[in-house]
Amino acid sequence: MDVPFWIWAAVLAFILVMLAIDLFAHRHAHVIGVREAAVWSGVWVAFGVAFGVIVWSVWGAEFGQQYFAGYLIEKSLAVDNVFVWAIIFSYFAVPREYQHRVLFLGVLGALIFRAIFIAAGAVLIQSFAWILYVFAAFLLYTGYRMIRQRNEHLDPEKSAVLRAFRRFVPMTEVYHGQKLLVRRGGVLLATPLLAVLVLVEVTDVVFAVDSIPAIFAVTDEVFLVFTANAFAILGLRAMYFLLADLIHRFIYLKIGLALVLIWVGIKMMLKIDIFYIPTTLSLAVVATIITVSIVASLRATRGQGRRALPTPAEAPFRVATEAEDAALEPVWGSRRRSTPSDPPTR
């Protein structure tokens, strides 16, 4: 697959422009409703599908199917990521109007980290052919582990990342709007929103460890791996606001995602020395598994509406009062020594 440099540049420019438009559209903190989330979800899916059509038209059906297989895998695995975000936001009682800013920065970081992982994966595959066996075995093990742990969920309270952050980074105990950093008493402090952002980024890195080998199982083309990842990730924010209150209904989705990982692991192992499973068949199997798991979940939970996740009896953080906001100093202003009456908290 021959991809000129200008096409890479055009795709990257398009992604940056769309991120800028999204940021401008949500520059003011507000609660994103289901209707707005549905519209934005439709926009991002339309862009992802349209790009696949372009790939199909320019480079042929085989590469088009590889892109759509990768896009479907990444979009499906991203749903599990959305559910983890919902748990994190619920535990930390993050006001809904501040959540988009965290997710925007989280997605931006995810694009950067995944680009690094994709480049590293491509180099490893080109340099060490045997690494494909490692990827395949990892996917099989991850799928098996996901089935065994399908009823287990992230517990933010036990997160080693959060404990380390609170230990080493001076932090306030209140949300100051959408600010990630504030200065109080001459001391630069992180807000709880920055701690949430760090946790969101770390969870995405963990998910990337699963998803990147999975997409390499259906295509070796770095351009397709990156673009399928990018277009799947770009719609994650809207998907979160659309599905966050419905996670209790997708009871079989985790099993479906586990079967997808097992399937692509088998496909990767077979294609090394034994048999290449056609992309058409691979795409059909992935689509069938995901469709069946979603339909079965919705049928089993018929009649259940939206339900917000339970929050702790005592939220770990609260929203700052007007007086607390007014007492803040410019973040990049002059420093002054803190006083015993105004110490930073951790």
Side-chain angles (χ1 to χ4, degrees):
M1 183 179 185
D2 184 23
V3 182
F5 173 78
W6 70 267
I7 293 183
W8 274 97
V11 170
L12 292 175
F14 175 79
I15 291 173
L16 293 176
V17 168
M18 290 307 300
L19 285 172
I21 292 174
D22 188 14
L23 181 62
F24 179 79
H26 300 93
R27 62 192 181 281
H28 301 301
H30 69 281
V31 176
I32 297 180
V34 174
R35 182 175 181 179
E36 182 180 355
V39 170
W40 276 99
S41 292
V43 169
W44 291 119
V45 170
F47 281 136
V49 172
F51 186 80
V53 172
I54 293 173
V55 171
W56 195 306
S57 302
V58 175
W59 288 282
E62 175 61 23
F63 290 126
Q65 292 176 45
Q66 289 181 15
Y67 167 84
F68 279 115
Y71 178 78
L72 182 59
I73 289 172
E74 294 301 321
K75 200 72 172 176
S76 302
L77 293 174
V79 176
D80 204 24
N81 206 351
V82 165
F83 293 168
V84 171
W85 290 349
I87 293 172
I88 293 173
F89 286 147
S90 175
Y91 173 80
F92 291 108
V94 180
R96 291 184 71 93
E97 60 268 27
Y98 304 155
Q99 293 175 5
H100 183 275
R101 177 62 57 86
V102 174
L103 294 181
F104 177 87
L105 296 174
V107 166
L108 188 61
L111 287 171
I112 296 172
F113 281 121
R114 294 199 180 206
I116 294 172
F117 286 177
I118 290 169
V123 170
L124 286 173
I125 291 173
Q126 290 180 354
S127 304
F128 309 101
W130 52 265
I131 201 70
L132 291 175
Y133 290 106
V134 177
F135 285 174
F138 177 75
L139 290 171
L140 293 174
Y141 170 73
T142 302
Y144 167 74
R145 185 188 63 187
M146 189 178 289
I147 291 176
R148 287 199 60 184
Q149 301 176 352
R150 62 187 179 277
N151 295 321
E152 299 180 13
H153 302 286
L154 171 73
D155 186 352
E157 187 175 5
K158 299 178 181 178
S159 170
V161 174
L162 178 63
R163 289 199 302 269
F165 185 90
R166 300 191 72 172
R167 180 179 179 183
F168 295 107
V169 180
M171 192 175 85
T172 70
E173 297 296 328
V174 295
Y175 293 106
H176 290 278
Q178 299 189 91
K179 296 181 175 68
L180 301 178
L181 296 169
V182 295
R183 185 180 296 279
R184 193 178 65 195
V187 179
L188 189 64
L189 304 170
T191 69
L193 213 60
L194 181 58
V196 173
L197 174 60
V198 170
L199 197 54
V200 165
E201 290 287 8
V202 171
T203 57
D204 185 76
V205 170
V206 173
F207 277 102
V209 173
D210 296 339
S211 65
I212 299 303
I215 194 171
F216 270 114
V218 296
T219 179
D220 298 326
E221 298 294 336
V222 176
F223 181 72
L224 298 182
V225 173
F226 174 76
T227 51
N229 259 276
F231 282 105
I233 290 173
L234 285 172
L236 278 186
R237 297 179 308 287
M239 184 188 295
Y240 164 78
F241 291 107
L242 187 63
L243 300 180
D245 296 337
L246 294 173
I247 64 174
H248 61 283
R249 297 199 59 187
F250 293 88
I251 57 177
Y252 300 126
L253 182 60
K254 204 154 193 175
I255 295 177
L257 297 178
L259 294 177
V260 168
L261 292 178
I262 292 173
W263 165 251
V264 296
I266 293 173
K267 172 181 167 59
M268 177 176 281
M269 189 166 289
L270 290 177
K271 83 171 186 177
I272 299 172
D273 296 311
I274 303 174
F275 175 70
Y276 176 75
I277 298 177
T279 304
T280 304
L281 177 60
S282 181
L283 177 59
V285 170
V286 172
T288 300
I289 292 174
I290 295 301
T291 301
V292 170
S293 65
I294 292 176
V295 172
S297 296
L298 296 179
R299 285 179 62 87
T301 58
R302 184 182 304 170
Q304 298 183 22
R306 291 184 171 271
R307 183 192 306 165
L309 285 174
T311 56
E314 185 177 350
F317 307 109
R318 62 178 176 82
V319 177
T321 63
E322 292 185 5
E324 288 172 322
D325 281 334
L328 295 178
E329 304 161 12
V331 171
W332 307 116
S334 59
R335 294 171 175 263
R336 66 176 177 83
R337 295 180 62 184
S338 59
T339 63
S341 63
D342 192 21
T345 58
R346 291 177 182 251

PDB file of all heavy atoms in Angstrom, residues 1 6-7 11 14 46-61 63-65 67-68 223-224 231:
ATOM      1  N   MET A   1       0.856  -1.195   0.000  1.00  0.00           N
ATOM      2  CA  MET A   1       0.000   0.000   0.000  1.00  0.00           C
ATOM      3  C   MET A   1       0.888   1.238   0.000  1.00  0.00           C
ATOM      4  O   MET A   1       1.607   1.494   0.954  1.00  0.00           O
ATOM      5  CB  MET A   1      -0.918   0.003   1.231  1.00  0.00           C
ATOM      6  CG  MET A   1      -1.889   1.162   1.276  1.00  0.00           C
ATOM      7  SD  MET A   1      -2.953   1.089   2.737  1.00  0.00           S
ATOM      8  CE  MET A   1      -4.041   2.472   2.388  1.00  0.00           C
ATOM      9  N   TRP A   6       1.950  13.459   1.415  1.00  0.00           N
ATOM     10  CA  TRP A   6       0.940  14.505   1.474  1.00  0.00           C
ATOM     11  C   TRP A   6      -0.394  13.964   2.000  1.00  0.00           C
ATOM     12  O   TRP A   6      -1.176  14.705   2.624  1.00  0.00           O
ATOM     13  CB  TRP A   6       0.747  15.177   0.110  1.00  0.00           C
ATOM     14  CG  TRP A   6       0.085  14.330  -0.944  1.00  0.00           C
ATOM     15  CD1 TRP A   6       0.698  13.549  -1.869  1.00  0.00           C
ATOM     16  CD2 TRP A   6      -1.323  14.202  -1.169  1.00  0.00           C
ATOM     17  NE1 TRP A   6      -0.230  12.930  -2.669  1.00  0.00           N
ATOM     18  CE2 TRP A   6      -1.489  13.317  -2.254  1.00  0.00           C
ATOM     19  CE3 TRP A   6      -2.466  14.735  -0.577  1.00  0.00           C
ATOM     20  CZ2 TRP A   6      -2.732  12.955  -2.757  1.00  0.00           C
ATOM     21  CZ3 TRP A   6      -3.714  14.380  -1.055  1.00  0.00           C
ATOM     22  CH2 TRP A   6      -3.834  13.500  -2.136  1.00  0.00           C
ATOM     23  N   ILE A   7      -0.658  12.673   1.773  1.00  0.00           N
ATOM     24  CA  ILE A   7      -1.896  12.092   2.304  1.00  0.00           C
ATOM     25  C   ILE A   7      -1.803  11.961   3.823  1.00  0.00           C
ATOM     26  O   ILE A   7      -2.759  12.260   4.552  1.00  0.00           O
ATOM     27  CB  ILE A   7      -2.171  10.723   1.647  1.00  0.00           C
ATOM     28  CG1 ILE A   7      -2.488  10.922   0.163  1.00  0.00           C
ATOM     29  CG2 ILE A   7      -3.314   9.998   2.360  1.00  0.00           C
ATOM     30  CD1 ILE A   7      -2.840   9.654  -0.572  1.00  0.00           C
ATOM     31  N   VAL A  11      -4.369  13.881   6.361  1.00  0.00           N
ATOM     32  CA  VAL A  11      -5.138  13.194   7.401  1.00  0.00           C
ATOM     33  C   VAL A  11      -4.858  13.807   8.772  1.00  0.00           C
ATOM     34  O   VAL A  11      -5.779  14.082   9.557  1.00  0.00           O
ATOM     35  CB  VAL A  11      -4.814  11.687   7.408  1.00  0.00           C
ATOM     36  CG1 VAL A  11      -5.422  11.012   8.630  1.00  0.00           C
ATOM     37  CG2 VAL A  11      -5.331  11.031   6.144  1.00  0.00           C
ATOM     38  N   PHE A  14      -6.516  17.176   9.012  1.00  0.00           N
ATOM     39  CA  PHE A  14      -7.963  17.023   9.204  1.00  0.00           C
ATOM     40  C   PHE A  14      -8.282  16.700  10.661  1.00  0.00           C
ATOM     41  O   PHE A  14      -9.215  17.266  11.253  1.00  0.00           O
ATOM     42  CB  PHE A  14      -8.503  15.920   8.294  1.00  0.00           C
ATOM     43  CG  PHE A  14      -9.961  15.617   8.508  1.00  0.00           C
ATOM     44  CD1 PHE A  14     -10.931  16.432   7.970  1.00  0.00           C
ATOM     45  CD2 PHE A  14     -10.359  14.512   9.263  1.00  0.00           C
ATOM     46  CE1 PHE A  14     -12.280  16.165   8.172  1.00  0.00           C
ATOM     47  CE2 PHE A  14     -11.691  14.231   9.472  1.00  0.00           C
ATOM     48  CZ  PHE A  14     -12.659  15.064   8.923  1.00  0.00           C
ATOM     49  N   ALA A  46     -19.736   9.028  10.844  1.00  0.00           N
ATOM     50  CA  ALA A  46     -19.833   9.356   9.413  1.00  0.00           C
ATOM     51  C   ALA A  46     -18.452   9.628   8.830  1.00  0.00           C
ATOM     52  O   ALA A  46     -18.128   9.165   7.725  1.00  0.00           O
ATOM     53  CB  ALA A  46     -20.747  10.559   9.210  1.00  0.00           C
ATOM     54  N   PHE A  47     -17.619  10.365   9.568  1.00  0.00           N
ATOM     55  CA  PHE A  47     -16.254  10.634   9.093  1.00  0.00           C
ATOM     56  C   PHE A  47     -15.446   9.337   8.995  1.00  0.00           C
ATOM     57  O   PHE A  47     -14.704   9.126   8.041  1.00  0.00           O
ATOM     58  CB  PHE A  47     -15.549  11.617  10.021  1.00  0.00           C
ATOM     59  CG  PHE A  47     -15.947  13.046   9.810  1.00  0.00           C
ATOM     60  CD1 PHE A  47     -16.217  13.876  10.895  1.00  0.00           C
ATOM     61  CD2 PHE A  47     -16.065  13.588   8.537  1.00  0.00           C
ATOM     62  CE1 PHE A  47     -16.584  15.204  10.710  1.00  0.00           C
ATOM     63  CE2 PHE A  47     -16.431  14.904   8.338  1.00  0.00           C
ATOM     64  CZ  PHE A  47     -16.697  15.719   9.426  1.00  0.00           C
ATOM     65  N   GLY A  48     -15.575   8.474  10.014  1.00  0.00           N
ATOM     66  CA  GLY A  48     -14.841   7.215   9.996  1.00  0.00           C
ATOM     67  C   GLY A  48     -15.247   6.330   8.836  1.00  0.00           C
ATOM     68  O   GLY A  48     -14.392   5.743   8.155  1.00  0.00           O
ATOM     69  N   VAL A  49     -16.547   6.231   8.575  1.00  0.00           N
ATOM     70  CA  VAL A  49     -17.038   5.411   7.473  1.00  0.00           C
ATOM     71  C   VAL A  49     -16.651   6.033   6.131  1.00  0.00           C
ATOM     72  O   VAL A  49     -16.244   5.325   5.190  1.00  0.00           O
ATOM     73  CB  VAL A  49     -18.565   5.248   7.574  1.00  0.00           C
ATOM     74  CG1 VAL A  49     -19.120   4.553   6.328  1.00  0.00           C
ATOM     75  CG2 VAL A  49     -18.926   4.432   8.826  1.00  0.00           C
ATOM     76  N   ALA A  50     -16.774   7.358   6.018  1.00  0.00           N
ATOM     77  CA  ALA A  50     -16.422   8.035   4.771  1.00  0.00           C
ATOM     78  C   ALA A  50     -14.955   7.824   4.429  1.00  0.00           C
ATOM     79  O   ALA A  50     -14.598   7.603   3.257  1.00  0.00           O
ATOM     80  CB  ALA A  50     -16.727   9.534   4.880  1.00  0.00           C
ATOM     81  N   PHE A  51     -14.096   7.862   5.446  1.00  0.00           N
ATOM     82  CA  PHE A  51     -12.680   7.623   5.178  1.00  0.00           C
ATOM     83  C   PHE A  51     -12.466   6.195   4.696  1.00  0.00           C
ATOM     84  O   PHE A  51     -11.648   5.947   3.798  1.00  0.00           O
ATOM     85  CB  PHE A  51     -11.848   7.885   6.436  1.00  0.00           C
ATOM     86  CG  PHE A  51     -10.362   7.789   6.200  1.00  0.00           C
ATOM     87  CD1 PHE A  51      -9.673   8.849   5.640  1.00  0.00           C
ATOM     88  CD2 PHE A  51      -9.666   6.630   6.511  1.00  0.00           C
ATOM     89  CE1 PHE A  51      -8.307   8.758   5.393  1.00  0.00           C
ATOM     90  CE2 PHE A  51      -8.300   6.536   6.274  1.00  0.00           C
ATOM     91  CZ  PHE A  51      -7.617   7.604   5.709  1.00  0.00           C
ATOM     92  N   GLY A  52     -13.189   5.248   5.276  1.00  0.00           N
ATOM     93  CA  GLY A  52     -13.087   3.865   4.812  1.00  0.00           C
ATOM     94  C   GLY A  52     -13.505   3.722   3.358  1.00  0.00           C
ATOM     95  O   GLY A  52     -12.903   2.946   2.603  1.00  0.00           O
ATOM     96  N   VAL A  53     -14.535   4.443   2.966  1.00  0.00           N
ATOM     97  CA  VAL A  53     -14.987   4.415   1.570  1.00  0.00           C
ATOM     98  C   VAL A  53     -13.898   4.959   0.656  1.00  0.00           C
ATOM     99  O   VAL A  53     -13.658   4.437  -0.442  1.00  0.00           O
ATOM    100  CB  VAL A  53     -16.296   5.218   1.414  1.00  0.00           C
ATOM    101  CG1 VAL A  53     -16.661   5.357  -0.066  1.00  0.00           C
ATOM    102  CG2 VAL A  53     -17.424   4.544   2.178  1.00  0.00           C
ATOM    103  N   ILE A  54     -13.213   6.018   1.112  1.00  0.00           N
ATOM    104  CA  ILE A  54     -12.111   6.578   0.316  1.00  0.00           C
ATOM    105  C   ILE A  54     -10.997   5.552   0.164  1.00  0.00           C
ATOM    106  O   ILE A  54     -10.455   5.356  -0.939  1.00  0.00           O
ATOM    107  CB  ILE A  54     -11.580   7.867   0.981  1.00  0.00           C
ATOM    108  CG1 ILE A  54     -12.640   8.969   0.931  1.00  0.00           C
ATOM    109  CG2 ILE A  54     -10.288   8.333   0.304  1.00  0.00           C
ATOM    110  CD1 ILE A  54     -12.264  10.216   1.704  1.00  0.00           C
ATOM    111  N   VAL A  55     -10.632   4.891   1.259  1.00  0.00           N
ATOM    112  CA  VAL A  55      -9.589   3.858   1.196  1.00  0.00           C
ATOM    113  C   VAL A  55     -10.002   2.764   0.226  1.00  0.00           C
ATOM    114  O   VAL A  55      -9.198   2.305  -0.608  1.00  0.00           O
ATOM    115  CB  VAL A  55      -9.341   3.267   2.600  1.00  0.00           C
ATOM    116  CG1 VAL A  55      -8.424   2.047   2.514  1.00  0.00           C
ATOM    117  CG2 VAL A  55      -8.730   4.314   3.524  1.00  0.00           C
ATOM    118  N   TRP A  56     -11.250   2.328   0.302  1.00  0.00           N
ATOM    119  CA  TRP A  56     -11.760   1.275  -0.576  1.00  0.00           C
ATOM    120  C   TRP A  56     -11.672   1.718  -2.040  1.00  0.00           C
ATOM    121  O   TRP A  56     -11.275   0.937  -2.924  1.00  0.00           O
ATOM    122  CB  TRP A  56     -13.207   0.972  -0.191  1.00  0.00           C
ATOM    123  CG  TRP A  56     -13.759  -0.317  -0.750  1.00  0.00           C
ATOM    124  CD1 TRP A  56     -13.788  -0.720  -2.057  1.00  0.00           C
ATOM    125  CD2 TRP A  56     -14.361  -1.382   0.005  1.00  0.00           C
ATOM    126  NE1 TRP A  56     -14.387  -1.946  -2.176  1.00  0.00           N
ATOM    127  CE2 TRP A  56     -14.742  -2.378  -0.929  1.00  0.00           C
ATOM    128  CE3 TRP A  56     -14.632  -1.567   1.339  1.00  0.00           C
ATOM    129  CZ2 TRP A  56     -15.387  -3.554  -0.535  1.00  0.00           C
ATOM    130  CZ3 TRP A  56     -15.273  -2.746   1.733  1.00  0.00           C
ATOM    131  CH2 TRP A  56     -15.634  -3.720   0.798  1.00  0.00           C
ATOM    132  N   SER A  57     -12.044   2.968  -2.307  1.00  0.00           N
ATOM    133  CA  SER A  57     -12.073   3.466  -3.687  1.00  0.00           C
ATOM    134  C   SER A  57     -10.676   3.660  -4.262  1.00  0.00           C
ATOM    135  O   SER A  57     -10.445   3.378  -5.445  1.00  0.00           O
ATOM    136  CB  SER A  57     -12.844   4.790  -3.740  1.00  0.00           C
ATOM    137  OG  SER A  57     -14.158   4.646  -3.256  1.00  0.00           O
ATOM    138  N   VAL A  58      -9.742   4.145  -3.448  1.00  0.00           N
ATOM    139  CA  VAL A  58      -8.406   4.485  -3.934  1.00  0.00           C
ATOM    140  C   VAL A  58      -7.482   3.279  -3.959  1.00  0.00           C
ATOM    141  O   VAL A  58      -6.753   3.059  -4.936  1.00  0.00           O
ATOM    142  CB  VAL A  58      -7.797   5.615  -3.080  1.00  0.00           C
ATOM    143  CG1 VAL A  58      -6.354   5.901  -3.505  1.00  0.00           C
ATOM    144  CG2 VAL A  58      -8.647   6.881  -3.186  1.00  0.00           C
ATOM    145  N   TRP A  59      -7.498   2.477  -2.872  1.00  0.00           N
ATOM    146  CA  TRP A  59      -6.527   1.385  -2.757  1.00  0.00           C
ATOM    147  C   TRP A  59      -7.120  -0.010  -2.943  1.00  0.00           C
ATOM    148  O   TRP A  59      -6.406  -1.001  -2.872  1.00  0.00           O
ATOM    149  CB  TRP A  59      -5.828   1.461  -1.403  1.00  0.00           C
ATOM    150  CG  TRP A  59      -4.868   2.603  -1.302  1.00  0.00           C
ATOM    151  CD1 TRP A  59      -3.601   2.657  -1.828  1.00  0.00           C
ATOM    152  CD2 TRP A  59      -5.067   3.862  -0.650  1.00  0.00           C
ATOM    153  NE1 TRP A  59      -3.007   3.852  -1.549  1.00  0.00           N
ATOM    154  CE2 TRP A  59      -3.884   4.628  -0.824  1.00  0.00           C
ATOM    155  CE3 TRP A  59      -6.114   4.423   0.072  1.00  0.00           C
ATOM    156  CZ2 TRP A  59      -3.739   5.910  -0.299  1.00  0.00           C
ATOM    157  CZ3 TRP A  59      -5.975   5.701   0.587  1.00  0.00           C
ATOM    158  CH2 TRP A  59      -4.797   6.424   0.393  1.00  0.00           C
ATOM    159  N   GLY A  60      -8.421  -0.098  -3.148  1.00  0.00           N
ATOM    160  CA  GLY A  60      -9.015  -1.388  -3.448  1.00  0.00           C
ATOM    161  C   GLY A  60      -9.786  -2.001  -2.284  1.00  0.00           C
ATOM    162  O   GLY A  60      -9.694  -1.558  -1.140  1.00  0.00           O
ATOM    163  N   ALA A  61     -10.553  -3.061  -2.620  1.00  0.00           N
ATOM    164  CA  ALA A  61     -11.449  -3.676  -1.647  1.00  0.00           C
ATOM    165  C   ALA A  61     -10.708  -4.309  -0.481  1.00  0.00           C
ATOM    166  O   ALA A  61     -11.165  -4.243   0.667  1.00  0.00           O
ATOM    167  CB  ALA A  61     -12.319  -4.724  -2.349  1.00  0.00           C
ATOM    168  N   PHE A  63      -7.814  -3.544   1.039  1.00  0.00           N
ATOM    169  CA  PHE A  63      -7.391  -2.553   2.031  1.00  0.00           C
ATOM    170  C   PHE A  63      -8.591  -1.855   2.670  1.00  0.00           C
ATOM    171  O   PHE A  63      -8.553  -1.499   3.858  1.00  0.00           O
ATOM    172  CB  PHE A  63      -6.457  -1.526   1.406  1.00  0.00           C
ATOM    173  CG  PHE A  63      -5.107  -2.079   1.054  1.00  0.00           C
ATOM    174  CD1 PHE A  63      -4.599  -1.951  -0.229  1.00  0.00           C
ATOM    175  CD2 PHE A  63      -4.350  -2.746   2.002  1.00  0.00           C
ATOM    176  CE1 PHE A  63      -3.354  -2.465  -0.563  1.00  0.00           C
ATOM    177  CE2 PHE A  63      -3.107  -3.265   1.687  1.00  0.00           C
ATOM    178  CZ  PHE A  63      -2.603  -3.132   0.399  1.00  0.00           C
ATOM    179  N   GLY A  64      -9.660  -1.683   1.881  1.00  0.00           N
ATOM    180  CA  GLY A  64     -10.872  -1.098   2.451  1.00  0.00           C
ATOM    181  C   GLY A  64     -11.450  -1.982   3.541  1.00  0.00           C
ATOM    182  O   GLY A  64     -11.842  -1.500   4.611  1.00  0.00           O
ATOM    183  N   GLN A  65     -11.479  -3.286   3.297  1.00  0.00           N
ATOM    184  CA  GLN A  65     -11.997  -4.214   4.298  1.00  0.00           C
ATOM    185  C   GLN A  65     -11.070  -4.287   5.514  1.00  0.00           C
ATOM    186  O   GLN A  65     -11.545  -4.423   6.650  1.00  0.00           O
ATOM    187  CB  GLN A  65     -12.162  -5.604   3.677  1.00  0.00           C
ATOM    188  CG  GLN A  65     -13.259  -5.677   2.639  1.00  0.00           C
ATOM    189  CD  GLN A  65     -13.344  -7.036   1.982  1.00  0.00           C
ATOM    190  OE1 GLN A  65     -13.287  -8.063   2.642  1.00  0.00           O
ATOM    191  NE2 GLN A  65     -13.476  -7.055   0.665  1.00  0.00           N
ATOM    192  N   TYR A  67      -9.301  -1.814   6.672  1.00  0.00           N
ATOM    193  CA  TYR A  67      -9.587  -0.608   7.458  1.00  0.00           C
ATOM    194  C   TYR A  67     -10.857  -0.782   8.274  1.00  0.00           C
ATOM    195  O   TYR A  67     -10.879  -0.488   9.483  1.00  0.00           O
ATOM    196  CB  TYR A  67      -9.723   0.604   6.535  1.00  0.00           C
ATOM    197  CG  TYR A  67     -10.317   1.806   7.255  1.00  0.00           C
ATOM    198  CD1 TYR A  67      -9.516   2.658   8.010  1.00  0.00           C
ATOM    199  CD2 TYR A  67     -11.696   2.059   7.206  1.00  0.00           C
ATOM    200  CE1 TYR A  67     -10.065   3.742   8.692  1.00  0.00           C
ATOM    201  CE2 TYR A  67     -12.246   3.142   7.888  1.00  0.00           C
ATOM    202  CZ  TYR A  67     -11.432   3.972   8.624  1.00  0.00           C
ATOM    203  OH  TYR A  67     -11.985   5.026   9.307  1.00  0.00           O
ATOM    204  N   PHE A  68     -11.931  -1.256   7.631  1.00  0.00           N
ATOM    205  CA  PHE A  68     -13.200  -1.390   8.344  1.00  0.00           C
ATOM    206  C   PHE A  68     -13.114  -2.443   9.454  1.00  0.00           C
ATOM    207  O   PHE A  68     -13.727  -2.278  10.513  1.00  0.00           O
ATOM    208  CB  PHE A  68     -14.331  -1.735   7.372  1.00  0.00           C
ATOM    209  CG  PHE A  68     -14.873  -0.544   6.636  1.00  0.00           C
ATOM    210  CD1 PHE A  68     -14.739  -0.429   5.266  1.00  0.00           C
ATOM    211  CD2 PHE A  68     -15.509   0.480   7.325  1.00  0.00           C
ATOM    212  CE1 PHE A  68     -15.233   0.679   4.584  1.00  0.00           C
ATOM    213  CE2 PHE A  68     -16.007   1.587   6.657  1.00  0.00           C
ATOM    214  CZ  PHE A  68     -15.867   1.688   5.284  1.00  0.00           C
ATOM    215  N   PHE A 223      -0.527   2.824   7.971  1.00  0.00           N
ATOM    216  CA  PHE A 223      -1.476   3.894   7.669  1.00  0.00           C
ATOM    217  C   PHE A 223      -2.887   3.500   8.082  1.00  0.00           C
ATOM    218  O   PHE A 223      -3.620   4.300   8.680  1.00  0.00           O
ATOM    219  CB  PHE A 223      -1.439   4.211   6.171  1.00  0.00           C
ATOM    220  CG  PHE A 223      -2.377   5.320   5.754  1.00  0.00           C
ATOM    221  CD1 PHE A 223      -2.110   6.630   6.091  1.00  0.00           C
ATOM    222  CD2 PHE A 223      -3.517   5.041   5.012  1.00  0.00           C
ATOM    223  CE1 PHE A 223      -2.976   7.659   5.712  1.00  0.00           C
ATOM    224  CE2 PHE A 223      -4.380   6.046   4.631  1.00  0.00           C
ATOM    225  CZ  PHE A 223      -4.111   7.362   4.977  1.00  0.00           C
ATOM    226  N   LEU A 224      -3.277   2.261   7.791  1.00  0.00           N
ATOM    227  CA  LEU A 224      -4.610   1.799   8.157  1.00  0.00           C
ATOM    228  C   LEU A 224      -4.738   1.607   9.664  1.00  0.00           C
ATOM    229  O   LEU A 224      -5.778   1.902  10.255  1.00  0.00           O
ATOM    230  CB  LEU A 224      -4.929   0.487   7.431  1.00  0.00           C
ATOM    231  CG  LEU A 224      -4.963   0.552   5.904  1.00  0.00           C
ATOM    232  CD1 LEU A 224      -5.347  -0.800   5.328  1.00  0.00           C
ATOM    233  CD2 LEU A 224      -5.936   1.629   5.424  1.00  0.00           C
ATOM    234  N   PHE A 231      -9.800   7.511  13.961  1.00  0.00           N
ATOM    235  CA  PHE A 231     -11.220   7.797  13.753  1.00  0.00           C
ATOM    236  C   PHE A 231     -12.093   7.116  14.796  1.00  0.00           C
ATOM    237  O   PHE A 231     -13.175   7.628  15.132  1.00  0.00           O
ATOM    238  CB  PHE A 231     -11.642   7.388  12.342  1.00  0.00           C
ATOM    239  CG  PHE A 231     -11.228   8.377  11.284  1.00  0.00           C
ATOM    240  CD1 PHE A 231     -10.164   8.113  10.432  1.00  0.00           C
ATOM    241  CD2 PHE A 231     -11.883   9.588  11.154  1.00  0.00           C
ATOM    242  CE1 PHE A 231      -9.771   9.029   9.468  1.00  0.00           C
ATOM    243  CE2 PHE A 231     -11.497  10.519  10.193  1.00  0.00           C
ATOM    244  CZ  PHE A 231     -10.426  10.237   9.350  1.00  0.00           C
TER     245      PHE A 231
END
